[in-house]
Amino acid sequence: MNFGVSTSMDVAAISIPSLHFSIKSSAAISLQAPRSRNACSVSLFSGFRRFGLRIISVKAEQASSRVTDDDFIIEDVPHLTDFLPHLPSYPNPLKNSQAYAIVKETFVKPEDVVAQKIVVTKDSTRGIHFRRAGPREKVYFKPDEVRACVVTCGGLCPGINTVVREIVCGLNFMYGVNDILGIEGGYRGFYSKNTLTLTPKVVNNIHKHGGTFLRTSRGGHDTNKIVDNIQDRGINQVYIIGGDGTQRGAALIYQEIAKRGLQVSVAGIPKTIDNDIAVIDKSFGFDTAVEEAQRAINAAHVEVGSVDNGVGIVKLMGRYSGFIATIATLASRDVDCCLIPESPFYLEGTGGLFEFIEQRLKENGHIVIVLAEGAGQDFIARDMHAAEEKDASGNRLLLDVGPWLSQKIKDHFTKVQKMAVNMKYIDPTYMIRAIPSNASDNVYCTLLAQSAVHGAMAGYTGFTVGPVNSRHAYIPIARVTETQNTVELTGRMWARLLASTNQPSFVTNSEELKEKAADINNVDISAQI
């Protein structure tokens, strides 16, 4: 690799894995090292200086590496030239596009990055940045030589079909790619030979329907079989839509492709209805899910408001993260209590759920409870003496907390309190995730798909795409799979919910709250309180 830096500072020292050098005042230095798949490639980012020193980023073989200028970090994504250094590039066809002719700056500048942290103080460090998504001036594929494929894995989510549609249309309309395959039935479809040809005409109306046009499955990931099939079919762009498990599989596919030295770009589009993917602002389909949840909450409110001592429970999705339940509660204004996986609760005693329900029934004559599916799992498992089981994706199979809690409430008030309650239980789980995406999510899915297409055509690989502080970026797959976002019990959003519902925190003191929140969120929360 070739690397040059100039600076006006007195002395600067930069450390890169296997490389170290110093720069003195007004000096220019050039560093050369052999280029191979295992060597790091260094790229210069102009426009960012600290004491006159330009910022650099490093791309490693399997995941992002960080190069810092004290407090400026760029986490870059792999590129095909990392292991194919002599790969030719070509002018981007968008130069001749009528659609992009009106754009002032058609192409994203090489030095453009997106900051992960946007709220700063005067003395804040600049922190982590990601490569900005968008079209590049040079591409590494000739359109007529591209054979792309699209696969959807895992559970359903509003907007999957929109992403599939816009990948196909983006490749065809923007870059002139005509050879696009749909892999049917998830990862298994690669080696079970289930494919269909995708054209703009074939996918034209699929965004109007829920589910996935390509069908899906859990599990079935066999890296060698998948890459063998990719190689045998001559596929050179792979678009993988799925959650954290799917994205981990995409990372393994990229690594095997790099190991074999294949000119194949692997692009991930993160999907989860629970909105628990790290780094990105939110996942597609989430707005649609919250909007649809309002219908169930409204129905519960009408039901319990029409009877004496009405208790309505609405169970929403949220295996480990209670974002749907939390945001749906904040949006509704008709919810009295929200129970999520991150927040422990207890039933009996002072400050418990039974006491709160009794209080609300006396005040209002009814109560509406929103319950995330992952809430109280340890509680119900102990009560039912249930053994832990897992699904094909390795996720813990959840016990059905909705009917269990409904029965517990009913038994308590009829047997202990000698008080009749009218229980109304609504479970719209699969209705919420099976509907088509709304207007907001359709626009978002379009941006995701087009960003993925631009990235793959530009030769990036082993990346996922998503909005970071409202700007789309290319993110190393490892960053979105290393942890899951959860509702912070010490954050302002949960505080807003508690203020809106006026429900108890179900925690006896602030120290216990800190301990439970730190354990659940797996973060150092001392600086957030």
Side-chain angles (χ1 to χ4, degrees), residues 79 134-136 138-141 175 265 453-460:
H79 194 273
R136 264 52 182 181
K138 296 290 185 181
V139 297
Y140 286 80
F141 294 93
Y175 288 98
S265 282
V453 168
H454 291 317
M457 290 296 297
Y460 296 115

Side-chain angles (χ1 to χ4, degrees), residues 335-374:
V335 178
D336 297 280
C337 184
C338 178
L339 303 174
I340 60 174
E342 297 88 334
S343 180
F345 67 93
Y346 55 97
L347 300 178
E348 300 175 347
T350 303
L353 183 61
F354 290 158
E355 182 183 79
F356 178 69
I357 293 173
E358 183 178 359
Q359 176 189 339
R360 282 298 165 94
L361 290 178
K362 289 179 180 178
E363 292 174 354
N364 302 330
H366 62 269
I367 184 173
V368 175
I369 300 171
V370 166
L371 176 67
E373 62 178 334

Side-chain angles (χ1 to χ4, degrees), residues 12 48 60 163 194 244 274 298 324 418 481:
F48 295 99
V163 175
N194 296 330
D244 54 354
D274 291 343
N298 291 339
I324 291 180
K418 307 301 182 181
T481 59

